[in-house]
């Protein structure tokens, strides 16, 4: 969805008719400043959509950002100065903060997973377990946190999973059928050593080791040639990442980056001008 349409719908949800509280004050305009601050340590993501939300309500509003997406911000630090009509900013505030909190939460959690992988060459991937219509924004937030994007959509890459294998009859039949219609690289999901052996035999480009124990993954890696990429997935918690990354897998995919990230906490502090 086009971002402007996404923002329009977000405000239609939040202000279906009017901001009845602000309107009832009977005030026309109140020029002033507000500052956006972090209420916890976090990694910033969603700066541009926050700006677009504020300017959607009042294009004349000025924003002076002190940090870029991907930067670490400490609790209490000023992130952005906002100048303009504070009454219109009241209308823009919640939707803008909702986007920023959601995306910065994803970036912050992603940074934790990336750091857990330590100095290995293993890359942390996201999945398609995203909020409907927010995938582009959420996957950008993963990148801000130092992670990498898996396929964006079902149209982007071949990934043969359990139900595809069952529908085709076997890994071999699934892979051979796909190769009749495309030359795209093929990734196959495997949960047993037998399935890994089948995928290796079919010379696929990547093997996903699904919900395997550390011991089983270690055995699987012994039979996978070095030119085939490997991806570990399933129950990938922060505590488990160091041991999995140390095995030497190419990637670890983590659905929790987007489906379980807590919202980062911000506050927008208004500096109201003195009424004479």
């Amino acid at each position: 969805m086009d971002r402007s349409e996404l923002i329009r719908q977000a405000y239609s949800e939040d202000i279906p008719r009017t901001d009845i509280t602000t309107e009832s004050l009977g005030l026309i305009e109140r020029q002033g400043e507000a500052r956006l601050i972090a209420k916890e340590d976090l990694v910033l993501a969603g700066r541009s959509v926050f700006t677009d939300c504020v300017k959607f309500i009042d294009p004349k509003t000025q924003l002076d950002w002190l940090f870029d997406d991907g930067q670490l911000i400490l609790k209490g630090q000023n992130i952005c100065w906002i100048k303009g009509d504070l009454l219109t900013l009241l209308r823009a505030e919640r939707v803008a903060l909702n986007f920023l909190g959601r995306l910065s939460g994803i970036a912050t959690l992603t940074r934790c997973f990336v750091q857990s992988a330590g100095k290995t060459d293993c890359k942390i991937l996201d999945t398609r377990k995203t909020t409907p219509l927010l995938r582009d924004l959420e996957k950008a937030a993963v990148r801000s946190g130092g992670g990498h994007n898996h396929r964006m959509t079902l149209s982007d890459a071949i990934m043969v999973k359990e139900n595809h294998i069952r529908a085709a009859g076997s890994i071999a039949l699934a892979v051979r059928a796909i190769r009749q219609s495309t030359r795209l690289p093929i990734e196959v999901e495997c949960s047993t050593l037998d399935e890994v052996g089948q995928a290796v035999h079919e010379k696929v480009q990547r093997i996903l080791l699904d919900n395997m124990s550390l011991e089983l993954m270690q055995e699987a890696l012994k039979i996978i040639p070095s030119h085939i990429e490997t991806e570990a997935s399933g129950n990938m918690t922060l505590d488990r990442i160091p041991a999995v990354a140390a095995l030497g897998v190419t990637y670890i995919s983590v659905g929790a980056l987007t489906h379980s990230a807590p919202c980062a906490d911000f506050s927008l502090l208004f500096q109201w001008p003195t009424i004479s």
Side-chain angles (χ1 to χ4, degrees):
M1 178 185 295
D2 177 78
R3 183 184 294 187
S4 61
E5 176 61 17
L6 178 66
I7 292 172
R8 186 195 68 77
Q9 290 192 22
Y11 278 114
S12 293
E13 176 184 63
D14 198 47
I15 316 173
R17 292 174 300 279
T18 184
D19 173 4
I20 191 169
T21 306
T22 304
E23 293 291 336
S24 296
L25 292 174
L27 302 173
I28 299 174
E29 184 179 291
R30 188 62 57 82
Q31 293 292 319
E33 292 184 339
R35 58 190 177 102
L36 178 69
I37 67 167
K39 296 181 71 176
E40 61 182 347
D41 295 349
L42 56 88
V43 176
L44 184 66
R47 194 180 106 156
S48 64
V49 72
F50 182 93
T51 297
D52 290 345
C53 285
V54 171
K55 287 186 172 291
F56 181 88
I57 297 297
D58 185 355
K60 298 187 298 296
T61 305
Q62 299 176 17
L63 294 92
D64 181 17
W65 288 93
L66 306 178
F67 292 90
D68 292 321
D69 282 353
Q71 288 189 290
L72 176 65
I73 298 171
L74 302 180
K75 179 179 179 180
Q77 284 190 301
N78 289 342
I79 303 167
C80 181
W81 284 97
I82 305 171
K83 298 180 181 180
D85 181 1
L86 298 186
L87 295 176
T88 60
L89 186 57
L90 279 174
R91 299 182 181 94
E93 175 184 21
R94 177 42 49 203
V95 169
L97 286 175
N98 284 351
F99 276 116
L100 193 69
R102 172 66 180 153
L103 300 176
S104 295
I106 290 171
T108 304
L109 182 60
T110 300
R111 180 69 58 85
C112 293
F113 273 90
V114 170
Q115 290 176 339
S116 290
K119 296 182 179 180
T120 68
D121 293 328
C122 180
K123 295 180 174 61
I124 300 297
L125 299 178
D126 57 19
T127 70
R128 287 170 35 251
K129 295 177 182 178
T130 54
T131 308
L133 304 181
L134 297 186
R135 181 169 295 170
D136 284 349
L137 292 174
E138 291 183 348
K139 281 182 171 281
V142 168
R143 297 194 299 273
S144 292
H148 298 262
N149 297 147
H150 207 297
R151 57 182 178 168
M152 294 292 289
T153 72
L154 287 175
S155 303
D156 292 336
I158 303 291
M159 186 171 177
V160 181
K161 305 187 76 173
E162 179 184 4
N163 285 322
H164 301 116
I165 295 167
R166 289 186 176 182
S170 69
I171 288 175
L173 290 173
V175 171
R176 292 169 192 177
I178 289 168
R179 283 183 172 148
Q180 292 296 314
S181 59
T182 180
R183 293 180 177 274
L184 288 173
I186 298 175
E187 177 174 7
V188 174
E189 177 184 272
C190 300
S191 57
T192 68
L193 291 180
D194 179 64
E195 290 176 345
V196 170
Q198 293 178 53
V200 169
H201 184 266
E202 294 303 319
K203 297 180 173 61
V204 301
Q205 283 73 31
R206 186 186 300 183
I207 295 176
L208 186 151
L209 307 174
D210 185 48
N211 282 298
M212 290 186 177
S213 66
L214 285 173
E215 293 75 19
L216 192 56
M217 278 190 279
Q218 193 169 36
E219 291 303 309
L221 291 170
K222 291 178 182 177
I223 63 176
I224 300 174
S226 60
H227 65 273
I228 295 180
E229 294 180 334
T230 53
E231 176 184 338
S233 182
N235 191 33
M236 290 300 164
T237 62
L238 277 171
D239 290 341
R240 194 170 180 229
I241 292 296
V244 176
L247 292 176
V249 293
T250 318
Y251 304 102
I252 299 175
S253 55
V254 185
L257 299 183
T258 50
H259 72 58
S260 296
C263 190
D265 200 4
F266 297 89
S267 186
L268 194 58
L269 303 181
F270 289 71
Q271 298 183 347
W272 296 95
T274 302
I275 300 176
S276 56

